[in-house]
Amino acid sequence: MGKIGDKLDIDFVVSTGDNFYMNGIKGVKDPRFVESFSNIYTAKSLQKQWYSILGNHDYRGDALAQLSPLLRKIDSRWFCLRSFTLNAGVAEIFFIDTTLFIDDYFNYPEHTYDWRGVSPRQMYLKNLLKDFEEALMKSTARWKIVVGHHAIRSIGHHGDSPELIKHLIPILKANDVDMYVNGHDHCLQHIRSIDSPLLYLTSGAGSKAWRGDIKCTNSDVVRFFYDGQGFMSVQMTGNDAIFAFYNVFGESIHHWKLSKSSMHSSA
Protein backbone atom coordinates (compact mmCIF):
# COMPACT_ATOMS: atom_id res chain seq x y z
CA MET A 1 0.00 0.00 0.00
CA GLY A 2 2.84 2.33 0.82
CA LYS A 3 4.55 1.61 -2.50
CA ILE A 4 1.38 2.30 -4.48
CA GLY A 5 0.80 5.44 -2.44
CA ASP A 6 4.25 6.67 -3.43
CA LYS A 7 3.77 5.73 -7.09
CA LEU A 8 0.44 7.58 -7.32
CA ASP A 9 1.53 10.47 -5.06
CA ILE A 10 -1.74 10.20 -3.16
CA ASP A 11 -3.45 13.18 -1.51
CA PHE A 12 -5.21 11.34 1.33
CA VAL A 13 -6.44 7.93 2.50
CA VAL A 14 -10.01 6.77 3.10
CA SER A 15 -10.90 4.04 5.60
CA THR A 16 -14.27 2.33 5.06
CA GLY A 17 -14.76 1.39 8.72
CA ASP A 18 -14.09 -1.48 11.12
CA ASN A 19 -10.99 0.50 11.92
CA PHE A 20 -10.08 -1.63 14.94
CA TYR A 21 -11.03 -5.28 14.67
CA MET A 22 -12.86 -6.97 16.32
CA ASN A 23 -14.33 -4.76 19.05
CA GLY A 24 -13.18 -1.22 18.35
CA ILE A 25 -11.14 0.53 21.02
CA LYS A 26 -11.86 0.82 24.74
CA GLY A 27 -11.06 4.52 25.02
CA VAL A 28 -8.79 7.30 23.81
CA LYS A 29 -5.88 5.80 25.76
CA ASP A 30 -6.32 2.29 24.36
CA PRO A 31 -2.88 1.20 23.05
CA ARG A 32 -4.64 -0.54 20.17
CA PHE A 33 -4.92 2.83 18.40
CA VAL A 34 -1.15 3.19 18.15
CA GLU A 35 -0.52 -0.53 17.67
CA SER A 36 -3.09 -0.96 14.87
CA PHE A 37 -2.84 2.43 13.17
CA SER A 38 0.21 4.58 13.89
CA ASN A 39 2.67 1.67 14.05
CA ILE A 40 1.26 -0.09 10.98
CA TYR A 41 0.91 2.61 8.33
CA THR A 42 4.46 3.92 8.57
CA ALA A 43 5.33 4.34 4.88
CA LYS A 44 6.25 7.89 3.90
CA SER A 45 3.48 8.04 1.29
CA LEU A 46 0.86 7.24 3.94
CA GLN A 47 1.76 10.19 6.15
CA LYS A 48 -1.25 12.03 4.75
CA GLN A 49 -4.66 12.77 6.22
CA TRP A 50 -6.78 9.68 6.83
CA TYR A 51 -10.57 10.07 6.63
CA SER A 52 -12.42 7.33 8.47
CA ILE A 53 -15.95 6.29 9.32
CA LEU A 54 -17.25 3.83 11.88
CA GLY A 55 -18.09 0.23 11.09
CA ASN A 56 -20.24 -2.16 13.11
CA HIS A 57 -17.15 -3.57 14.87
CA ASP A 58 -16.17 -0.04 15.91
CA TYR A 59 -19.59 0.37 17.53
CA ARG A 60 -18.81 -2.68 19.69
CA GLY A 61 -16.19 -0.64 21.50
CA ASP A 62 -16.10 2.98 22.62
CA ALA A 63 -17.41 4.62 19.46
CA LEU A 64 -17.11 8.11 20.92
CA ALA A 65 -13.40 7.57 21.51
CA GLN A 66 -12.77 7.13 17.78
CA LEU A 67 -14.59 10.41 17.15
CA SER A 68 -12.60 12.28 19.80
CA PRO A 69 -10.14 15.00 18.72
CA LEU A 70 -7.84 13.66 21.44
CA LEU A 71 -6.81 10.87 19.07
CA ARG A 72 -5.66 13.49 16.59
CA LYS A 73 -3.20 14.71 19.22
CA ILE A 74 -1.73 11.21 19.33
CA ASP A 75 -1.63 10.92 15.52
CA SER A 76 -2.52 13.99 13.48
CA ARG A 77 -3.42 11.86 10.44
CA TRP A 78 -6.53 10.53 12.17
CA PHE A 79 -9.92 12.07 11.28
CA CYS A 80 -13.11 10.14 12.04
CA LEU A 81 -16.71 11.32 12.19
CA ARG A 82 -20.04 9.53 11.86
CA SER A 83 -21.03 11.38 8.67
CA PHE A 84 -19.35 14.28 6.88
CA THR A 85 -18.51 15.75 3.47
CA LEU A 86 -15.01 16.12 2.07
CA ASN A 87 -14.34 18.62 -0.72
CA ALA A 88 -11.55 17.02 -2.74
CA GLY A 89 -11.37 19.49 -5.61
CA VAL A 90 -12.95 17.90 -8.68
CA ALA A 91 -14.84 15.52 -6.40
CA GLU A 92 -16.89 15.66 -3.24
CA ILE A 93 -16.90 12.62 -1.00
CA PHE A 94 -19.93 12.08 1.22
CA PHE A 95 -19.30 9.82 4.20
CA ILE A 96 -22.43 8.28 5.71
CA ASP A 97 -22.86 6.26 8.91
CA THR A 98 -24.58 3.05 7.76
CA THR A 99 -24.48 0.87 10.89
CA LEU A 100 -27.77 2.10 12.35
CA PHE A 101 -29.64 1.24 9.16
CA ILE A 102 -29.01 -2.48 9.63
CA ASP A 103 -31.86 -4.14 11.53
CA ASP A 104 -29.88 -7.21 12.59
CA TYR A 105 -27.89 -5.24 15.14
CA PHE A 106 -31.14 -4.44 16.92
CA ASN A 107 -33.24 -7.54 16.24
CA TYR A 108 -30.53 -10.07 17.07
CA PRO A 109 -28.22 -8.34 19.57
CA GLU A 110 -25.45 -10.93 19.86
CA HIS A 111 -23.03 -8.16 20.81
CA THR A 112 -23.09 -4.99 22.88
CA TYR A 113 -23.02 -1.78 20.86
CA ASP A 114 -22.23 1.79 21.86
CA TRP A 115 -25.36 3.66 20.75
CA ARG A 116 -24.54 6.83 22.69
CA GLY A 117 -25.30 9.90 20.62
CA VAL A 118 -27.43 8.06 18.05
CA SER A 119 -30.58 7.31 20.03
CA PRO A 120 -33.46 7.27 19.41
CA ARG A 121 -32.58 5.31 16.30
CA GLN A 122 -35.44 6.37 14.02
CA MET A 123 -34.95 10.06 14.75
CA TYR A 124 -31.22 9.73 14.10
CA LEU A 125 -31.81 8.03 10.75
CA LYS A 126 -34.48 10.54 9.73
CA ASN A 127 -32.14 13.46 10.36
CA LEU A 128 -29.19 11.63 8.78
CA LEU A 129 -31.07 10.97 5.54
CA LYS A 130 -32.35 14.54 5.42
CA ASP A 131 -28.87 16.04 5.83
CA PHE A 132 -27.35 13.51 3.42
CA GLU A 133 -29.85 14.22 0.66
CA GLU A 134 -29.57 17.99 1.11
CA ALA A 135 -25.78 17.83 0.88
CA LEU A 136 -25.95 15.84 -2.36
CA MET A 137 -28.57 18.15 -3.86
CA LYS A 138 -26.50 21.25 -3.10
CA SER A 139 -23.29 19.78 -4.45
CA THR A 140 -21.98 21.14 -7.75
CA ALA A 141 -18.98 18.79 -7.80
CA ARG A 142 -17.95 17.20 -11.07
CA TRP A 143 -17.75 13.82 -9.33
CA LYS A 144 -19.81 12.58 -6.40
CA ILE A 145 -18.56 9.68 -4.31
CA VAL A 146 -20.39 8.23 -1.31
CA VAL A 147 -18.54 6.18 1.30
CA GLY A 148 -20.31 3.94 3.80
CA HIS A 149 -19.21 0.90 5.77
CA HIS A 150 -21.89 -1.56 4.67
CA ALA A 151 -22.33 -2.79 1.12
CA ILE A 152 -25.46 -1.86 -0.78
CA ARG A 153 -24.80 -4.51 -3.41
CA SER A 154 -22.47 -7.44 -2.75
CA ILE A 155 -21.95 -11.08 -3.65
CA GLY A 156 -19.64 -11.47 -0.66
CA HIS A 157 -20.36 -12.98 2.76
CA HIS A 158 -22.96 -10.44 3.92
CA GLY A 159 -24.63 -9.98 0.55
CA ASP A 160 -26.90 -7.07 -0.30
CA SER A 161 -28.18 -4.75 2.45
CA PRO A 162 -31.98 -4.47 1.96
CA GLU A 163 -32.15 -1.47 4.29
CA LEU A 164 -29.61 0.46 2.22
CA ILE A 165 -31.24 -0.58 -1.05
CA LYS A 166 -34.47 0.91 0.26
CA HIS A 167 -33.14 4.13 1.79
CA LEU A 168 -29.98 5.02 -0.13
CA ILE A 169 -30.26 3.85 -3.74
CA PRO A 170 -33.11 6.27 -4.63
CA ILE A 171 -31.09 9.18 -3.22
CA LEU A 172 -27.86 8.13 -4.92
CA LYS A 173 -29.48 7.76 -8.33
CA ALA A 174 -31.57 10.93 -8.06
CA ASN A 175 -28.44 12.94 -7.34
CA ASP A 176 -26.16 11.41 -9.99
CA VAL A 177 -23.72 9.80 -7.59
CA ASP A 178 -20.91 8.16 -9.55
CA MET A 179 -19.81 5.51 -7.08
CA TYR A 180 -20.63 4.07 -3.68
CA VAL A 181 -17.57 2.71 -1.85
CA ASN A 182 -17.86 0.40 1.15
CA GLY A 183 -16.05 -2.09 3.33
CA HIS A 184 -17.73 -4.72 5.59
CA ASP A 185 -17.32 -7.68 3.23
CA HIS A 186 -13.69 -8.81 3.33
CA CYS A 187 -13.10 -8.79 -0.40
CA LEU A 188 -12.68 -6.53 -3.42
CA GLN A 189 -15.57 -6.18 -5.85
CA HIS A 190 -16.86 -3.99 -8.66
CA ILE A 191 -20.59 -4.09 -9.40
CA ARG A 192 -22.35 -1.90 -11.94
CA SER A 193 -25.97 -0.87 -11.62
CA ILE A 194 -28.07 -2.10 -14.53
CA ASP A 195 -30.25 1.00 -14.72
CA SER A 196 -27.81 3.86 -14.01
CA PRO A 197 -24.09 4.71 -14.25
CA LEU A 198 -23.75 4.12 -10.49
CA LEU A 199 -20.93 1.79 -9.43
CA TYR A 200 -20.77 -0.24 -6.20
CA LEU A 201 -17.16 -0.76 -5.08
CA THR A 202 -16.17 -2.90 -2.11
CA SER A 203 -12.76 -2.39 -0.52
CA GLY A 204 -12.91 -4.36 2.70
CA ALA A 205 -9.90 -6.64 2.38
CA GLY A 206 -7.26 -4.47 4.02
CA SER A 207 -6.28 -6.85 6.78
CA LYS A 208 -8.48 -9.92 6.43
CA ALA A 209 -10.05 -11.83 3.55
CA TRP A 210 -12.74 -14.50 3.39
CA ARG A 211 -11.55 -16.98 0.78
CA GLY A 212 -14.29 -18.73 -1.18
CA ASP A 213 -17.16 -16.94 0.55
CA ILE A 214 -19.24 -15.98 -2.50
CA LYS A 215 -23.00 -15.74 -2.83
CA CYS A 216 -25.13 -15.96 -5.95
CA THR A 217 -24.97 -12.91 -8.19
CA ASN A 218 -27.63 -10.25 -7.78
CA SER A 219 -29.60 -8.34 -10.40
CA ASP A 220 -26.76 -5.90 -11.11
CA VAL A 221 -23.66 -6.66 -13.19
CA VAL A 222 -20.64 -8.05 -11.34
CA ARG A 223 -17.55 -6.84 -13.18
CA PHE A 224 -14.94 -8.10 -10.74
CA PHE A 225 -14.66 -10.09 -7.51
CA TYR A 226 -11.53 -10.99 -5.56
CA ASP A 227 -11.59 -12.94 -2.31
CA GLY A 228 -8.03 -12.16 -1.19
CA GLN A 229 -6.42 -9.30 0.71
CA GLY A 230 -5.97 -5.97 -1.03
CA PHE A 231 -6.99 -2.33 -1.38
CA MET A 232 -8.09 0.19 -3.99
CA SER A 233 -7.08 3.56 -5.39
CA VAL A 234 -9.01 6.31 -7.16
CA GLN A 235 -7.44 8.96 -9.41
CA MET A 236 -9.58 11.79 -10.73
CA THR A 237 -9.43 14.70 -13.12
CA GLY A 238 -12.28 16.88 -14.34
CA ASN A 239 -13.21 14.41 -17.07
CA ASP A 240 -11.78 11.05 -16.06
CA ALA A 241 -11.76 8.81 -13.02
CA ILE A 242 -9.66 5.68 -12.78
CA PHE A 243 -10.03 3.24 -9.93
CA ALA A 244 -7.87 0.17 -9.44
CA PHE A 245 -7.78 -2.84 -7.15
CA TYR A 246 -4.47 -4.21 -5.87
CA ASN A 247 -3.58 -7.46 -4.14
CA VAL A 248 -1.50 -7.63 -0.97
CA PHE A 249 1.71 -7.49 -3.05
CA GLY A 250 0.67 -4.20 -4.65
CA GLU A 251 -0.02 -5.81 -8.04
CA SER A 252 -2.87 -4.29 -10.04
CA ILE A 253 -5.55 -6.95 -10.49
CA HIS A 254 -8.40 -4.85 -11.91
CA HIS A 255 -8.91 -1.29 -13.11
CA TRP A 256 -11.73 0.74 -14.63
CA LYS A 257 -11.94 4.15 -16.27
CA LEU A 258 -14.94 6.45 -16.18
CA SER A 259 -15.27 9.42 -18.51
CA LYS A 260 -17.59 12.35 -17.88
CA SER A 261 -17.12 13.79 -21.36
CA SER A 262 -18.42 10.74 -23.20
CA MET A 263 -20.34 9.24 -20.28
CA HIS A 264 -18.92 5.79 -20.78
CA SER A 265 -16.72 3.40 -18.83
CA SER A 266 -14.07 0.98 -20.01
CA ALA A 267 -11.70 -1.60 -18.59
Side-chain angles (χ1 to χ4, degrees), residues 40-194:
I40 297 297
Y41 302 105
T42 57
K44 182 179 179 181
S45 66
L46 303 180
Q47 305 307 305
K48 304 290 179 70
Q49 193 70 61
W50 285 59
Y51 297 99
S52 306
I53 52 171
L54 299 176
N56 53 297
H57 284 272
D58 298 311
Y59 269 105
R60 292 185 192 177
D62 185 342
L64 296 184
Q66 290 199 42
L67 308 177
S68 173
L70 292 177
L71 289 186
R72 296 175 213 165
K73 294 183 178 181
I74 299 174
D75 193 320
S76 61
R77 294 177 295 170
W78 182 257
F79 184 90
C80 182
L81 295 176
R82 297 190 200 273
S83 299
F84 60 100
T85 301
L86 171 64
N87 186 334
V90 296
E92 271 194 298
I93 307 176
F94 304 84
F95 294 77
I96 183 168
D97 183 10
T98 59
T99 299
L100 271 80
F101 285 97
I102 310 302
D103 293 334
D104 281 354
Y105 303 136
F106 300 88
N107 296 336
Y108 311 101
E110 299 177 6
H111 303 279
T112 300
Y113 295 91
D114 182 7
W115 299 135
R116 292 176 297 165
V118 293
S119 297
R121 179 193 180 197
Q122 294 306 320
M123 181 61 69
Y124 175 78
L125 290 177
K126 179 181 178 180
N127 291 333
L128 174 59
L129 283 171
K130 177 177 178 291
D131 292 342
F132 177 61
E133 186 169 21
E134 287 182 352
L136 283 172
M137 291 176 64
K138 292 177 181 178
S139 175
T140 59
R142 183 70 164 166
W143 297 94
K144 297 180 184 179
I145 302 173
V146 173
V147 176
H149 175 64
H150 295 80
I152 297 179
R153 295 291 195 184
S154 172
I155 62 168
H157 175 79
H158 295 104
D160 293 348
S161 299
E163 301 91 341
L164 300 185
I165 291 173
K166 174 183 177 181
H167 293 289
L168 294 190
I169 284 184
I171 297 175
L172 300 183
K173 291 183 176 180
N175 290 280
D176 299 319
V177 170
D178 297 287
M179 59 184 75
Y180 175 82
V181 183
N182 62 271
H184 198 46
D185 269 336
H186 295 203
C187 60
L188 302 172
Q189 57 184 329
H190 167 200
I191 298 176
R192 181 177 62 82
S193 174
I194 60 173

